Amino acid sequence: MIVLQRVSVDGRARTLTLEWDDAYAQTLAHALLRAQCPCAACRRARLAGDRTLHVPQDVAIVDVQPMGYGVQIAFSDGHAQGIYPWTFLRTLDAKNAPEKRPA
Ligand SMILES: [Zn+2]
């Protein structure tokens, strides 16, 4: 089993870096993680077609708590229900970032 070794939050770049014990590292935007929140309410909203969840692009991570098999992430918009399992985090990548709308 691949184990998450290190989580670090960059408040200025608004990224979260995950380092795994197979030497793989990911850097994910806070807004992406908020948009992909796996809690029941957010999953329901996405299934209902609200893909963006009205995530403010300046949303930031304020706290990360290890949960054994995943991490619980608290965001600056007050949302902290999401527990992100390791297996789910591994599937997230920059290529899955929400598309930017043309101005
Ligand atoms: Zn959520």
Side-chain angles (χ1 to χ4, degrees), residues 24-38:
Y24 183 68
Q26 290 166 283
T27 298
L28 303 166
H30 293 185
L32 168 69
L33 288 157
R34 178 65 185 86
Q36 298 294 325
C37 177

Side-chain angles (χ1 to χ4, degrees), residues 3-72:
V3 174
L4 182 63
Q5 288 205 310
R6 217 168 96 86
V7 181
S8 44
V9 176
D10 185 330
R12 220 164 13 156
R14 292 203 194 90
T15 55
L16 179 80
T17 298
L18 304 168
E19 294 167 57
W20 304 88
D21 70 350
D22 63 348
Y24 183 68
Q26 290 166 283
T27 298
L28 303 166
H30 293 185
L32 168 69
L33 288 157
R34 178 65 185 86
Q36 298 294 325
C37 177
C39 85
C42 293
R43 273 210 313 264
R44 208 160 40 233
R46 280 198 298 274
L47 284 173
D50 187 1
R51 297 176 65 96
T52 65
L53 287 169
H54 308 291
V55 175
Q57 282 304 299
D58 63 349
V59 73
I61 290 172
V62 294
D63 192 36
V64 179
Q65 290 293 331
M67 300 294 287
Y69 61 94
V71 290
Q72 181 167 17

